[in-house]
Amino acid sequence: MSEEIKVGAVAPDFTLKDQDQKEVKLGDYKGKKNVVLAFYPLDWSPVCTTENKCLNDDFPKFQSANTEVFGVSRDSTYSHKAWQETLGLKHRLLSDMSGDTAKKYGMWLDDKFITKRATIVIDKQGVVRYVKVQEILTARNDNEILTALKSLN
């Protein structure tokens, strides 16, 4: 298992497909927007559903903080599409089926074949400014993420 990424590290670039089969490249946001990577274990699970609904409810706050929010899990783009439509999610969901991106950030659980529940805030320069890893069954706190974003502006 790779070491968890630390605050101050340069965020590893990646290219993943979203729920609409569109490629998302982290490097495309450099100099333009902050990025929140919300790693979560699986679509359709209770805690993940609740917290993604919360991210959705707070979507305007993230937009006003000039931030792009991405949910990242090992689920397929097809699962993401169905889940996004069912929940009416506004943020994009990235498919990391191989776990390669999660591994670059130290957020992969080899023994469970899923990502950790973790939040990473990356500033416009591509530097990691906030990292929080949580228990799998504990939902993330959007207010903590928004506070971290406020400190960037």
Side-chain angles (χ1 to χ4, degrees), residues 2-62:
S2 51
E3 191 176 321
E4 290 174 4
I5 198 157
K6 303 275 188 268
V7 170
V10 174
D13 200 9
F14 62 81
T15 303
L16 292 172
K17 287 196 173 170
D18 72 3
Q19 72 284 345
D20 296 318
Q21 306 279 330
K22 292 192 178 112
E23 283 197 346
V24 172
K25 188 173 180 347
L26 180 64
D28 291 347
Y29 293 90
K30 199 166 183 181
K32 297 176 191 150
K33 280 188 165 191
N34 303 310
V35 173
V36 171
L37 298 178
F39 287 96
Y40 64 96
L42 293 165
D43 293 346
W44 309 101
S45 63
V47 176
C48 297
T49 297
T50 302
E51 73 175 10
N52 274 278
K53 280 184 183 170
C54 289
L55 285 171
N56 196 54
D57 293 345
D58 288 333
F59 192 73
K61 293 178 188 170
F62 287 110

Side-chain angles (χ1 to χ4, degrees), residues 128-140:
V128 174
R129 295 297 177 195
Y130 172 90
V131 176
K132 183 165 184 182
V133 178
Q134 292 166 227
E135 290 299 314
I136 290 287
L137 296 176
T138 306
R140 71 191 86 230

Side-chain angles (χ1 to χ4, degrees), residues 4-5 11-12 14 26 37 101-107 120 122:
E4 290 174 4
I5 198 157
F14 62 81
L26 180 64
L37 298 178
T101 297
K103 288 171 191 165
K104 285 183 191 176
Y105 286 83
M107 299 302 158
I120 299 171
I122 302 163

